[in-house]
Amino acid sequence: MDLVLDPPHGVAPVRLGMTYAEALAAVTQTFGAPRTAREGLISTSLDGIGFQVLLEKRDRVTAVELWWPGEGRTSSTRVLLDGDDVFTVPARDILRRAAARGWTVEDPDEEYTSIPGVTLGFTRMTSQEVPRERDGLPVCFTSVLVADERYYDGP
């Protein structure tokens, strides 16, 4: 299965702005019963890929965050941004392509990278044994967040 990042709209089957009930129904119908379903959070996994729905304002979906399966694990599920799997394609390639699209990339060489206005947030933080660049950062991203254009603007 492919999970397609659609910033700033969400990750199918979850769209930003859905109510808790709508998001819970979408997750359950697509992935089965979630591991966690409570106010502000719906969490599940698909073939090792973590899938978390955040409802941070007025019972509405504000972001969707996905995690790579972890050290030594593989997944047949891909997390795609413009056809690139964000957990297997080198982070620098993903960011270079984002910049070529005209997106502003903030902190492209750090553990936390964001593309405001779209909004995408990436991390390369992990203590696990993974391929690393010379500076010690993991070669590939370990999580990605999709939110609306104003998510990083603050309250």
Side-chain angles (χ1 to χ4, degrees):
M1 172 180 241
D2 290 342
L3 297 172
V4 179
L5 305 178
D6 183 18
H9 307 291
V11 180
V14 177
R15 307 297 284 171
L16 302 180
M18 282 181 154
T19 65
Y20 174 85
E22 292 168 334
L24 180 60
V27 166
T28 301
Q29 182 178 21
T30 304
F31 308 127
R35 281 188 309 221
T36 303
R38 60 176 166 75
E39 184 178 324
L41 176 70
I42 300 168
S43 181
T44 192
S45 65
L46 176 66
D47 192 28
I49 302 290
F51 191 98
Q52 189 171 61
V53 179
L54 305 172
L55 299 99
E56 301 162 307
K57 296 178 186 170
R58 296 179 310 260
D59 192 39
R60 296 284 175 169
V61 174
T62 53
V64 178
E65 188 167 16
L66 296 98
W67 290 282
W68 70 293
E71 180 182 348
R73 298 182 191 151
T74 59
S75 177
S76 61
T77 298
R78 301 180 310 162
V79 176
L80 302 177
L81 178 62
D82 290 335
D84 290 325
D85 185 340
V86 299
F87 298 142
T88 61
V89 171
R92 292 188 189 279
D93 293 345
I94 301 273
L95 297 176
R96 186 172 42 255
R97 290 180 187 127
R101 290 185 75 178
W103 293 346
T104 301
V105 177
E106 292 186 352
D107 300 316
D109 297 323
E110 301 297 324
E111 286 180 320
Y112 301 97
T113 302
S114 65
I115 302 175
V118 172
T119 291
L120 288 167
F122 299 95
T123 61
R124 291 198 273 174
M125 188 173 79
T126 184
S127 61
Q128 298 184 40
E129 291 299 318
V130 296
R132 295 184 182 267
E133 296 180 345
R134 289 182 196 187
D135 61 6
L137 285 174
V139 171
C140 296
F141 290 118
T142 56
S143 73
V144 60
L145 177 133
V146 178
D148 72 22
E149 295 96 333
R150 294 168 304 282
Y151 188 80
Y152 290 118
D153 291 348

